[in-house]
Amino acid sequence: MSMIREHWDTLQTRERRMILLAGLAIFILLSEMLFLSPYFDERKRLEQQIEILHGDLNWMHQASAQVKQLSKGKPAARPSGQSMLSLVDSTAKSYGLGQLVKRVQPDGQNIVRIWLEGVGFDVMLRWLSVLSDRYGLVVTGLVVDRSGEGSELINARIVFEGAK
C-alpha cells in the first residue's frame, strides 16, 4: 500500500485528476452495468407482465359476465320459426359435419337423434358445446365408438333434447 502511496505522491496534479476522472468513469460504468441496467431490464419485464395480466383480467371480467348471464338459466333462443331439426342440421354443416351426418331422426318437437360417422372427437365436442351454450339443447344420450382400426375418427349416436 505504501508503494502505491509513494507513486501517487510522485504524480503531477494533472495526472492525479486524470486518474481520478478515469476511476470515476469506471465506477459509473460498473454501477450502470451491475446495478442500473439489470434494474431497468427487470422493471421493463415486470411492466410487460403487468400488461399481460391486465389483458387476462379484462378477459376474466368478460368471461365472468358471460357466466353470470348463462347461469341465469336462459340459453339463447332458437332463431324464430327454426325447428330443432333444422337447427341441429344447419349448425352441423357450419362445423363441417354436414357430409358426416348419416341419419337424422326427429322424435316429436323437442327430441332429435343424429348419427355421425368418421368425425373428429374434438370437432364434435365443440359443436355439442355450441348447441348447449347458445341454443340450450341438452345431450340426453351419447354413444361413441371408433370409426375403424387405428383411426382417430369416431362414430357417434347423439340424442338432443330442447326446451319445451
Side-chain angles (χ1 to χ4, degrees):
M1 185 75 162
S2 66
M3 192 159 115
I4 296 174
R5 183 75 174 153
E6 289 174 11
H7 183 67
W8 181 259
D9 290 339
T10 62
L11 295 176
Q12 296 178 3
T13 306
R14 182 175 175 207
E15 291 173 333
R16 288 180 188 174
R17 283 186 191 153
M18 287 182 65
I19 290 174
L20 288 174
L21 286 175
L24 181 62
I26 290 172
F27 175 77
I28 291 171
L29 287 174
L30 283 175
S31 296
E32 199 278 329
M33 286 175 35
L34 296 175
F35 302 109
L36 296 177
S37 183
Y39 169 78
F40 287 118
D41 290 346
E42 181 66 10
R43 181 178 173 152
K44 184 177 181 180
R45 187 190 68 78
L46 290 173
E47 286 173 350
Q48 290 172 343
Q49 189 175 6
I50 287 171
E51 286 181 32
I52 291 169
L53 292 174
H54 277 297
D56 291 347
L57 181 62
N58 289 337
W59 176 84
M60 286 182 196
H61 284 301
Q62 292 172 353
S64 172
Q66 289 176 347
V67 167
K68 286 177 184 174
Q69 182 181 6
L70 292 174
S71 68
K72 291 179 182 176
K74 286 189 169 184
R78 282 181 250 157
S80 60
Q82 187 176 22
S83 71
M84 202 172 131
L85 179 64
S86 65
L87 175 68
V88 169
D89 187 53
S90 65
T91 57
K93 287 177 183 172
S94 70
Y95 272 78
L97 302 174
Q99 298 294 324
L100 306 175
V101 174
K102 298 305 174 192
R103 183 173 168 199
V104 179
Q105 176 185 353
D107 190 359
Q109 282 187 311
N110 294 316
I111 297 176
V112 172
R113 301 172 195 280
I114 189 166
W115 286 258
L116 299 169
E117 290 183 7
V119 65
F121 187 73
D122 55 340
V123 174
M124 182 191 71
L125 286 182
R126 283 194 295 270
W127 175 60
L128 294 177
S129 176
V130 166
L131 287 172
S132 174
D133 294 345
R134 288 190 191 160
Y135 303 107
L137 300 185
V138 177
V139 176
T140 57
L142 176 65
V143 177
V144 177
D145 55 13
R146 278 192 186 166
S147 180
E149 191 69 31
S151 174
E152 294 181 10
L153 302 177
I154 61 164
N155 299 327
R157 293 183 303 275
I158 308 165
V159 179
F160 293 103
E161 189 171 329
K164 297 181 180 183

